[in-house]
Amino acid sequence: MKIRIILDFICPYCFVGEKLLEKALKNSNSKVEFEFLPYELCPEPNPQTIVNENNKTYFLETVGKWAANEDILITFPTINPKPRTALAFEGLYIAEKYNKGIEYIRAVLDNYWIMNKNIGDIDVLAQIAQSLSIPFEEFHDSLLSRSFKEKHIKLNLEVSEYNFDVVPTFYINEKQLDNFPRTSKEWEAILK
């Protein structure tokens, strides 16, 4: 089974949606091949989103309650402004070279949504990579030199042409799901 996910790391729905999929996969015998497609919610040169109390209130009443109902730990990130995610996506290309794509995606999401770390910072991303046994120097130098910048910009633009309304958007074996599953049980039914 192939699962393609359009996401951005700073999207709380992407975090919870991926956690639901992760939980369902633990209860499944499905062999899954992942493909991740970037869709930056705030690409350059757009201004970065400012975090404020209104954001927090809305987050706690919606995403926070949803995550709690599914036993998913999530916190309200206080990094201000919200980090840009181009570097995090450029790091994904290196992680995939070492067959660590899904582990990298999950670690970056966890670092932002649970540990409140600035995933727009090269050093934070390099520490994540190192924790996954991805060579620190290669990873750090690739991000510093922006080795994958053009590849990322091109892919981000291509993805923006896809027919989708929200992130995350999931595809199972090339078929786009009409709505992304809101519970791990819904995912388990899809994975059967």
Side-chain angles (χ1 to χ4, degrees), residues 55-189:
N55 301 140
K56 185 175 184 178
T57 301
Y58 177 79
F59 172 87
L60 294 173
E61 291 174 359
T62 57
V63 177
K65 286 182 181 177
W66 172 40
N69 287 339
E70 288 291 322
D71 294 320
I72 295 170
L73 175 63
I74 188 171
T75 60
F76 181 75
T78 57
I79 309 299
N80 214 354
K82 286 186 179 181
R84 296 206 189 271
T85 54
L87 288 171
F89 280 115
E90 290 176 36
L92 172 62
Y93 307 129
I94 303 161
E96 288 175 336
K97 173 181 168 183
Y98 291 94
N99 297 313
K100 300 276 187 173
I102 185 66
E103 295 90 345
Y104 176 82
I105 290 285
R106 289 176 176 160
V108 172
L109 287 166
D110 286 353
N111 270 265
Y112 185 65
W113 289 105
I114 297 173
M115 296 175 246
N116 197 31
K117 296 217 176 147
N118 183 353
I119 58 167
D121 182 285
I122 290 175
D123 291 328
V124 169
L125 295 170
Q127 289 169 0
I128 292 169
Q130 186 175 34
S131 75
L132 299 171
S133 300
I134 298 167
F136 180 89
E137 292 298 324
E138 176 186 355
F139 188 94
H140 190 274
D141 292 349
S142 291
L143 293 189
L144 201 56
S145 67
R146 302 296 305 269
S147 299
F148 293 96
K149 180 180 180 180
E150 294 307 316
K151 177 181 179 174
H152 171 66
I153 290 171
K154 182 176 185 270
L155 186 56
N156 202 52
L157 288 172
E158 287 173 12
V159 170
S160 69
E161 299 297 320
Y162 280 42
N163 183 24
F164 68 99
D165 297 323
V166 298
V167 290
T169 295
F170 293 91
Y171 294 79
I172 307 292
N173 298 326
E174 306 301 323
K175 183 181 182 312
Q176 182 177 343
L177 298 182
D178 293 330
N179 296 299
F180 77 86
R182 300 296 201 265
T183 67
S184 56
K185 295 290 182 207
E186 288 177 36
W187 265 119
E188 288 173 16

